[in-house]
Amino acid sequence: MTEYDKNGTPIVHGIDLDHETRCTHYHTPLDVVAMRFKCCDKYYACIHCHNECEDHEPIPWSKDEQDTLAVMCGVCKYEMTIREYVNTDQCPNCSASFNPRCEAYYPYYFTL
């Protein structure tokens, strides 16, 4: 089950996270997205953090689950649906830019 802090913000898991969800694996100014994994219902900074912290294989969200809140902007903590995320290059709430290279990793997180 997704864990929340005392302010109601989802807790993001990962390795060496900063306050905007950058991790040891991805830490450019644009790496500010966390993904909620279907398999464990936890937010992780990236697929590598998930795989290093969990003892199970990741399960991507299916094509019919695109309206699931499964992506969070690390800058403003806005949760968005998969559909919202894949159709933009910035946060719909705070306009923080997202890394366009993350598209290569979509298959780990969701099926489009």
Side-chain angles (χ1 to χ4, degrees), residues 7-23:
N7 298 317
T9 302
I11 294 172
V12 178
H13 301 271
I15 300 167
D16 294 329
L17 297 180
D18 74 6
H19 68 283
E20 292 185 340
T21 72
R22 291 177 198 90
C23 66

Side-chain angles (χ1 to χ4, degrees), residues 78-102:
Y78 175 76
E79 286 185 277
M80 65 198 90
T81 67
I82 296 163
R83 186 180 319 278
E84 282 180 287
Y85 174 65
V86 300
N87 288 316
T88 190
D89 59 357
Q90 64 184 29
C91 177
N93 186 58
C94 74
S95 300
S97 294
F98 297 149
N99 191 335
R101 295 187 316 220
C102 289

Side-chain angles (χ1 to χ4, degrees), residues 45-58:
C46 75
I47 184 70
H48 306 295
C49 286
H50 173 276
N51 291 345
E52 290 177 34
C53 295
E54 297 291 341
D55 62 359
H56 60 265
E57 293 294 316

Side-chain angles (χ1 to χ4, degrees), residues 6-50:
K6 63 183 179 189
N7 298 317
T9 302
I11 294 172
V12 178
H13 301 271
I15 300 167
D16 294 329
L17 297 180
D18 74 6
H19 68 283
E20 292 185 340
T21 72
R22 291 177 198 90
C23 66
T24 194
H25 307 101
Y26 300 102
H27 42 269
T28 74
L30 300 179
D31 293 318
V32 292
V33 172
M35 302 291 184
R36 184 164 66 99
F37 282 78
K38 181 177 180 173
C39 48
C40 52
D41 196 27
K42 293 179 183 175
Y43 274 99
Y44 274 95
C46 75
I47 184 70
H48 306 295
C49 286
H50 173 276

